Amino acid sequence: MLTLASKLKRDDGVRGPRASNPASDSTRRVSVRDKLLVKEVAELEANLPCTCKVNFPDPNKLHYFQLTVIPDEGYYQGGKFQFEVEVPDAYNMV
């Protein structure tokens, strides 16, 4: 997958090295998707109904999570529905 950070690194290689340390560039750059997800995950967890639970198998990868829904009323009461969600790199741009 192509991320904004990897594209910027590749473009830097074409233009030539910067004066800064390359190791600091890799730790400093974050994709646009990940910047947005930090805010939106906090909002999701704050507003999630009690019948839903979100699980992040790897807390460093906010773009992949598991959602479990256990309805407490209606036709699907007592059921358990699990979803795996992976947010693409182009999130909020395409």
Side-chain angles (χ1 to χ4, degrees):
M1 294 185 144
L2 178 67
T3 63
L4 179 60
S6 65
K7 181 178 178 348
L8 291 172
K9 286 180 189 176
R10 190 174 59 236
D11 289 349
D12 281 348
V14 171
R15 285 187 230 140
R18 290 185 184 175
S20 65
N21 183 3
S24 66
D25 283 348
S26 64
T27 58
R28 184 178 50 134
R29 288 192 179 150
V30 178
S31 71
V32 172
R33 172 196 65 187
D34 292 341
K35 287 180 183 177
L36 291 169
L37 285 176
V38 168
K39 176 185 172 204
E40 292 182 3
V41 163
E43 186 177 323
L44 170 73
E45 290 178 330
N47 296 319
L48 204 60
C50 63
T51 58
C52 299
K53 294 181 182 173
V54 67
N55 176 39
F56 292 91
D58 183 352
N60 296 320
K61 294 181 180 178
L62 294 179
H63 63 276
Y64 175 76
F65 60 93
Q66 298 165 338
L67 176 68
T68 303
V69 180
I70 305 172
D72 60 358
E73 61 184 5
Y75 185 74
Y76 297 103
Q77 179 179 2
K80 183 177 183 179
F81 304 93
Q82 295 179 322
F83 303 92
E84 291 184 3
V85 180
E86 187 166 351
V87 180
D89 288 334
Y91 171 67
N92 203 32
M93 298 172 88
V94 178

